[in-house]
């Protein structure tokens, strides 16, 4: 809409962005009888179009989240202008802040309130979200970063949108359509066209690299050093979106560590899809694979299934969260050359994944890139910590003091270990100890004199 033939009613093919269609629902979605047939702006020669195609992910409705802290901040600004709104907010806050509250009904009165035209956007967005959730039973999700968040959905797509073909490359790895079919029963998978990833080599580094992890300078330095040591070729780097409160500039630190910063392009998580600008780049680094906040996953689950907050059990959305994680990896890596598929085979590409061990990165990428080559990757040595660090420091101290050997029982006593505990520690650090000249046989550990 807005381009091509201005007479939409006579245009055999009509392209409409998802955003424009969603805006139409935002404006008219409160009408319970709204159908696709009612949308005369989309008609062809006065009739609903018979063939409907949807490109990329379809959610069934609009996920809605609103932070309770943002809601409770509104009365400070508008108490004198809108006492009714303040009363509703106070009631909502009292119920939501009870420790045992995970489900609540948003007062229907929120639908009727509007803020002054000159109100800040953040306040208008909050009131708009409350209006969309008005009268609904929502889920309350608590997180360390966002506090309590109200989660729900609005503007469900009309049933007469069917039949509609959805073209979603990520449908293979996400689980949303499966949930929709199991609960609503109106979707059907027609088959999957899967690319062959034999030319894709995925390197997995089990190193925490989330935004919170990168606040630590030691972790950040390791990640930056690892990137700098990886290759001298052109790279695309997908990274956590910078925030003012971070207190560091990751991109600047990476550029300073590189011999040629011009060979690197950056995009941030959340903006890691929908661009072909980097399709010729053959190396992509994913810094800290992006987990959607639990509140966003819950709201998306509610939009896809049409369930209210009191129709779900805790954790029903966990499988969807795992699928969305895979989708993020697939979409981010897919900005690079692997998207250039020839005869069903993805283009040559090196994908470097930096994420914590808890994400099980090797299993994760095997699911995303079947038939790809997956290898462990450690561009910088893992720093010593705990018992291994204590053992090395103790032996190095003895060596520097002029000793040529030590009894195992003395080393065990110095480290507070049992005999079997020291044996296990020697086995786990054997390669590193031998690299530094330490040997052991029988009851002694020996080395050359300093």
């Amino acid at each position: 809409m807005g381009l091509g033939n201005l007479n939409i009613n006579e245009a055999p093919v009509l392209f409409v962005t998802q955003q424009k269609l969603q805006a139409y629902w935002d404006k008219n979605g409160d009408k319970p009888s709204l159908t696709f047939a009612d949308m005369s702006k989309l008609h062809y020669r006065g009739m609903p179009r018979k063939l409907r195609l949807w490109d990329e992910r379809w959610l069934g409705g609009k996920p809605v989240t609103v932070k309770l802290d943002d809601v409770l901040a509104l009365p400070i600004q508008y108490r004198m202008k809108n006492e009714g709104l303040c009363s509703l907010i106070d009631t909502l806050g009292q119920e939501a802040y009870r420790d045992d509250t995970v489900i609540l009904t948003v007062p229907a009165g929120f639908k009727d309130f509007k803020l002054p035209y000159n109100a800040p956007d953040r306040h208008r967005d909050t009131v708009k979200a409350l209006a969309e959730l008005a009268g609904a039973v929502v889920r309350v999700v608590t997180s360390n970063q966002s506090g309590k968040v109200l989660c729900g959905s609005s503007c469900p797509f009309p049933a007469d949108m069917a039949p509609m073909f959805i073209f979603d490359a990520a449908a293979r790895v996400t689980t949303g359509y499966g949930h929709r079919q199991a609960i609503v029963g109106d979707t059907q998978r027609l088959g999957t066209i899967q690319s062959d990833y034999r030319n894709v080599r995925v390197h997995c580094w089990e190193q925490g690299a989330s935004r919170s992890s990168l606040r630590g300078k030691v972790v950040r330095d390791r990640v930056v050093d690892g990137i700098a040591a990886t290759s001298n070729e052109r790279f695309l780097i997908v990274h956590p979106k910078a925030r003012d409160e971070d207190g560091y500039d990751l991109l600047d630190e990476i550029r300073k560590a590189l011999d040629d910063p011009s060979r690197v392009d950056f995009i941030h998580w959340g903006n890691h899809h929908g661009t072909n600008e980097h399709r010729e780049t053959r190396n992509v680094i994913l810094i800290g694979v992006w987990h959607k906040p639990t509140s966003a996953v819950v709201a998306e689950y509610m939009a896809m299934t049409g369930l209210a907050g009191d129709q779900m059990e805790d954790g029903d959305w966990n499988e969807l969260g795992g699928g969305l994680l895979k989708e993020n990896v697939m979409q981010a890596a897919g900005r690079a050359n692997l998207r250039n598929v020839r005869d069903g085979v993805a283009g040559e590409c090196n994908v470097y994944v930096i994420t914590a061990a808890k994400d099980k990165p090797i299993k994760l990428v095997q699911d995303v890139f079947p038939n790809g080559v997956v290898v462990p990757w450690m561009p910088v040595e893992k720093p010593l910590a705990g018992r291994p660090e204590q053992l090395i420091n103790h032996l190095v101290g003895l060596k520097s003091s002029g000793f040529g050997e030590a009894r195992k029982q003395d080393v065990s006593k110095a480290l507070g270990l049992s005999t079997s505990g020291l044996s296990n520690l020697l086995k786990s650090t054997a390669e590193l100890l031998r690299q530094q000249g330490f040997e052991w046989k029988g009851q002694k550990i020996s080395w050359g004199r300093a």
Side-chain angles (χ1 to χ4, degrees):
M1 296 175 69
L3 294 176
N5 189 345
L6 296 181
N7 186 355
I8 293 173
N9 189 57
E10 293 296 326
V13 178
L14 176 64
F15 291 90
V16 184
T17 66
Q18 294 181 16
Q19 292 78 8
K20 186 173 285 292
L21 195 59
Q22 186 65 63
Y24 191 91
W25 262 282
D26 285 350
K27 186 177 180 180
N28 300 283
D30 58 337
K31 301 175 182 176
S33 60
L34 181 70
T35 66
F36 182 72
D38 292 330
M39 301 177 191
S40 57
K41 288 184 177 180
L42 307 180
H43 285 179
Y44 174 58
R45 295 184 176 177
M47 297 293 292
R49 296 171 186 269
K50 298 296 184 182
L51 179 62
R52 276 92 72 173
L53 309 179
W54 185 275
D55 187 35
E56 300 293 353
R57 192 152 54 100
W58 179 78
L59 297 178
K62 180 182 179 182
V64 181
T65 61
V66 58
K67 296 178 184 177
L68 190 59
D69 285 347
D70 290 343
V71 176
L72 297 180
L74 290 171
I76 299 172
Q77 302 291 331
Y78 308 109
R79 187 178 301 276
M80 299 302 295
K81 296 181 180 179
N82 212 328
E83 293 183 5
L85 175 62
C86 295
S87 176
L88 287 174
I89 290 173
D90 289 342
T91 301
L92 181 67
Q94 289 172 10
E95 185 175 353
Y97 267 114
R98 287 169 41 203
D99 290 340
D100 60 344
T101 298
V102 293
I103 300 167
L104 61 80
T105 301
V106 178
F110 278 120
K111 185 174 289 290
D112 301 325
F113 287 102
K114 300 191 183 303
L115 295 181
Y117 73 91
N118 59 348
D121 287 344
R122 65 183 185 279
H123 293 155
R124 299 178 71 83
D125 290 344
T126 298
V127 171
K128 178 183 177 184
L130 287 171
E132 291 174 331
L133 296 176
V137 180
V138 301
R139 202 82 184 183
V140 182
V141 173
T142 304
S143 75
N144 292 331
Q145 292 185 336
S146 301
K148 288 182 177 287
V149 183
L150 309 184
C151 308
S153 66
S154 69
C155 305
F157 277 57
D160 68 337
M161 281 285 286
M164 179 176 72
F165 293 93
I166 301 170
F167 295 90
D168 184 357
R172 175 176 59 82
V173 296
T174 190
T175 63
Y177 301 108
H179 294 304
R180 177 82 182 191
Q181 176 59 24
I183 294 170
V184 183
D186 63 354
T187 59
Q188 180 181 354
R189 188 182 294 272
L190 298 179
T192 300
I193 301 175
Q194 180 176 299
S195 297
D196 183 338
Y197 293 99
R198 73 180 76 165
N199 294 331
V200 177
R201 190 174 182 86
V202 188
H203 312 255
C204 294
W205 183 14
E206 292 186 347
Q207 165 64 55
S210 64
R211 171 177 281 105
S212 57
S213 297
L214 291 170
R215 291 194 183 108
K217 191 174 187 309
V218 172
V219 171
R220 201 164 65 251
D221 286 348
R222 277 178 56 75
V223 170
V224 170
D225 290 346
I227 291 171
T230 298
S231 172
N232 289 321
E233 299 179 29
R234 185 158 197 83
F235 267 88
L236 171 66
I237 296 180
V238 185
H239 60 90
K241 185 177 181 180
R243 293 178 180 171
D244 292 339
E245 63 267 26
D246 287 341
Y248 63 88
D249 187 334
L250 177 64
L251 274 57
D252 183 62
E253 292 181 25
I254 292 173
R255 290 188 183 101
K256 288 179 178 177
L258 299 175
D259 294 333
D260 181 11
S262 67
R263 64 184 174 85
V264 177
D265 296 310
F266 298 93
I267 57 175
H268 63 75
W269 289 110
N271 193 34
H272 60 281
H273 47 76
T275 176
N276 293 325
E277 184 178 350
H278 310 286
R279 64 181 300 130
E280 303 302 327
T281 302
R282 293 174 179 262
N283 302 279
V284 57
I285 296 178
L286 311 184
I287 301 179
V289 296
W290 183 41
H291 294 256
K292 275 195 171 184
T294 302
S295 56
V297 175
V298 172
E300 187 165 319
Y301 181 81
M302 295 174 76
M304 184 62 92
T305 62
L307 295 177
D310 58 352
Q311 296 175 316
M312 305 182 297
E313 299 293 334
D314 281 342
D316 281 355
W317 49 82
N318 288 345
E319 187 181 11
L320 177 63
L324 292 174
L325 182 65
K326 294 175 185 177
E327 180 183 359
N328 286 336
V329 172
M330 182 178 184
Q331 290 282 4
R335 298 311 97 208
N337 190 60
L338 68 84
R339 72 181 291 105
N340 295 319
V341 178
R342 300 287 186 272
D343 298 323
V345 180
E348 291 185 11
C349 193
N350 283 295
V351 181
Y352 298 84
V353 179
I354 309 173
T355 195
K358 65 181 178 61
D359 289 330
K360 300 179 181 178
I362 290 180
K363 175 66 166 61
L364 173 67
V365 298
Q366 285 173 337
D367 290 345
V368 176
F369 305 112
N371 202 34
V373 180
V374 181
V375 295
W377 169 50
M378 188 178 291
V380 294
E381 246 183 54
K382 187 174 182 178
L384 286 173
R387 291 298 194 188
E389 181 181 27
Q390 293 172 9
L391 174 61
I392 293 290
N393 288 342
H394 181 70
L395 295 178
V396 168
L398 292 175
K399 182 178 179 179
S400 62
S401 297
F403 294 96
E405 62 181 25
R407 295 188 305 171
K408 286 185 178 180
Q409 67 182 60
D410 292 334
V411 175
S412 297
K413 184 177 180 180
L415 299 181
L417 292 170
S418 64
T419 301
S420 61
L422 178 62
S423 296
N424 291 332
L425 184 58
L426 289 171
K427 290 178 183 178
S428 65
T429 56
E431 183 177 352
L432 183 58
L433 288 168
R434 290 192 175 102
Q435 287 175 358
Q436 299 199 26
F438 296 104
E439 299 288 344
W440 55 96
K441 185 176 182 180
Q443 297 303 310
K444 292 184 179 180
I445 303 174
S446 60
W447 55 87
R449 291 182 182 274

